[in-house]
Amino acid sequence: MYATQALTHLVPLAAEELDKNKVTPGVLGFLVFAALAVGVWALMKSMNRHMGRVNFEEAPDPDAVAGEPAGGTGKAASPGK
């Protein structure tokens, strides 16, 4: 016998005692909510750990540094002169 068939036999018995104005999520609702809360906590902890490893200082562009003349004026010499 399947569990769903066993539960269908118990539903008419529970229907007499069930107050439709007092339906609550119960233990399953609490367990799902608790599992989601633990999952969000773990994701936030992991995100904080990964964000701590990020280096926010930008490295200089190697192409721009290699293209500068040795004089250090910062202006590129015109190729035709």
Side-chain angles (χ1 to χ4, degrees), residues 30-73:
F30 173 75
L31 292 176
V32 169
F33 183 77
L36 288 172
V38 169
V40 168
W41 176 78
L43 286 172
M44 292 295 290
K45 187 170 178 148
S46 174
M47 183 190 71
N48 283 333
R49 186 174 56 236
H50 282 89
M51 290 299 286
R53 295 179 186 169
V54 174
N55 182 10
F56 290 104
E57 294 179 14
E58 186 174 341
D61 189 14
D63 294 335
V65 173
E68 288 184 9
T73 59

